[in-house]
Amino acid sequence: MGKRNMLQNDKLHGVEIKRKEVEKKYEYRGIRTLIKKGHYDLAIVACEEFLQKYPGNSYVLKDYASIVRQQGSPEGALELLSNCQNEGIHNIRERALCYAYMGEYQQALETICNIRCFNDKDKSIVTFCKAKLGKYSEDDSACSCYDIKQAISYDEKVAIEHIKSSNEAAKEANYYCYNEEIDIEQLYYNLQKILPEASPIVNDSLMTKYLFRMQDVGYLEGERTNVLAVTTFPNSFDIMTMIPSFSYPDRLVVNNYDQMLLQKREQKQIKALVRESQIDKFNQRYNRK
């Protein structure tokens, strides 16, 4: 009788373990869904709740760190990653990205080299860091010549010409291209004004990526798109590429181009009025005309 009870207890214990594992997987999938849809604040809350139950989970810590890094705190992301119980390739890559975003390129290079099986994302980190350190060679072919030159010394005019030529190539290839009414150069300078207030997409790529909602920005085979994809170099607002993109039915596009640009112009007008008022007060005080 005692042996039978022991077997039943073992069976119940096994069922309980499986139930908890299933719950754990569903919770993690929920976090991934929140990140994918762009609900980053909710994802952070979900990550913290998950880590209270399962401290040191490498996958959730990596996702949490990715959000924190791309919201402007790679140092905070590194601190999170230090809590991993069992570090995997995904954690090593994220640490390397944190160092790259901090401008510590040698440390990033040494970190990413701990990954035995490189993919294209890892190669781009190596190439970028070598370029920043002046160690780039032609054998490092993960990035184009344009990427390398711009990474070493960014030039706005070169970027604009590259974007224009890429748009012409997209037209010929029958791919997403700009609406003919769009002034690409003006769009570039407008984006530079609002990028500091924009929210990037959370991903594990080297370059920072943004999505903007912009009415009729481009088209593909006559069908209009309202999404603009913008890529900048790590930890900067230097635009690498910007191109009309397909709509993301499963992603929340949190940046509204027209609204953000209008707010920026209103802020500029308010500052101008305040400055003018201060000058008037100064002139009145000292009897100046």
Side-chain angles (χ1 to χ4, degrees):
M1 189 73 178
K3 188 174 181 180
R4 181 180 295 177
N5 286 337
M6 288 176 64
L7 290 172
Q8 287 178 342
N9 288 336
D10 288 343
K11 187 175 181 180
L12 289 172
H13 181 64
V15 170
E16 181 65 15
I17 290 173
K18 286 183 179 179
R19 184 184 66 79
K20 288 183 177 180
E21 286 298 317
V22 170
E23 289 179 354
K24 185 177 179 181
K25 287 180 180 178
Y26 273 112
E27 285 186 54
Y28 178 64
R29 287 176 186 171
I31 292 171
R32 293 298 305 164
T33 298
L34 288 171
I35 293 173
K36 189 176 182 181
K37 291 188 175 182
H39 299 292
Y40 302 133
D41 291 342
L42 293 176
I44 287 174
V45 173
C47 284
E48 290 178 347
E49 291 177 350
F50 186 98
L51 290 169
Q52 286 179 356
K53 295 180 184 178
Y54 314 103
N57 183 279
S58 64
Y59 290 98
V60 172
L61 281 168
K62 179 266 173 188
D63 289 336
Y64 194 172
S66 292
I67 298 172
V68 171
R69 168 175 58 84
Q70 294 188 3
Q71 287 188 343
S73 180
E75 297 88 352
L78 277 176
E79 186 176 346
L80 283 169
L81 291 170
S82 67
N83 296 314
C84 289
Q85 289 181 349
N86 297 298
E87 188 176 60
I89 291 174
H90 50 288
N91 304 108
I92 296 173
R93 181 179 298 116
E94 182 58 37
R95 279 200 296 117
L97 287 168
C98 288
Y99 286 124
Y101 273 61
M102 292 165 63
E104 297 183 14
Y105 304 115
Q106 184 61 43
Q107 188 67 43
L109 197 58
E110 292 173 4
T111 301
I112 200 66
C113 286
N114 290 321
I115 295 179
R116 293 182 180 180
C117 300
F118 271 24
N119 61 21
D120 289 340
K121 292 179 180 179
D122 302 325
K123 290 176 182 176
S124 67
I125 296 172
V126 170
T127 303
F128 179 79
C129 290
K130 283 186 175 182
K132 284 293 189 180
L133 292 167
K135 299 179 179 179
Y136 172 74
S137 67
E138 292 184 0
D139 294 332
D140 301 310
S141 57
C143 300
S144 68
C145 291
Y146 165 76
D147 298 343
I148 296 300
K149 289 179 180 178
Q150 289 290 79
I152 295 171
S153 180
Y154 187 78
D155 187 314
E156 290 183 350
K157 292 182 179 179
V158 171
I160 293 169
E161 288 306 312
H162 175 78
I163 293 165
K164 288 180 177 179
S165 62
S166 296
N167 184 56
E168 292 303 316
K171 284 182 183 178
E172 293 181 7
N174 201 24
Y175 195 61
Y176 281 102
C177 53
Y178 284 99
N179 186 327
E180 299 292 345
E181 298 176 1
I182 297 292
D183 184 332
I184 293 176
E185 187 168 348
Q186 186 60 56
L187 175 60
Y188 172 92
Y189 288 117
N190 286 344
L191 284 166
Q192 281 198 324
K193 295 175 185 176
I194 63 177
L195 273 174
E197 281 79 42
S199 297
I201 296 172
V202 171
N203 61 70
D204 58 355
S205 297
L206 174 66
M207 305 302 176
T208 306
K209 298 181 180 180
Y210 301 83
L211 292 179
F212 287 88
R213 183 177 291 106
M214 185 177 175
Q215 190 68 30
D216 292 339
V217 64
Y219 60 90
L220 173 66
E221 296 181 349
E223 185 175 343
R224 296 296 178 91
T225 179
N226 301 322
V227 178
L228 177 68
V230 181
T231 303
T232 68
F233 287 96
N235 202 29
S236 79
F237 302 115
D238 294 334
I239 298 173
M240 178 183 169
T241 62
M242 57 185 211
I243 189 169
S245 184
F246 54 90
S247 297
Y248 293 79
D250 58 347
R251 184 185 289 279
L252 175 68
V253 183
V254 293
N255 301 300
N256 187 311
Y257 172 83
D258 293 322
Q259 183 179 347
M260 293 178 72
L261 188 61
L262 178 61
Q263 288 175 346
K264 180 61 69 173
R265 287 171 178 166
E266 288 175 346
Q267 290 170 4
K268 188 176 180 180
Q269 289 173 354
I270 291 171
K271 287 180 180 179
L273 289 171
V274 170
R275 185 173 181 276
E276 186 177 343
S277 175
Q278 290 172 339
I279 292 172
D280 288 341
K281 287 180 181 179
F282 178 87
N283 291 336
Q284 290 173 8
R285 182 175 181 182
Y286 295 99
N287 297 319
R288 294 185 180 182
K289 295 181 179 181

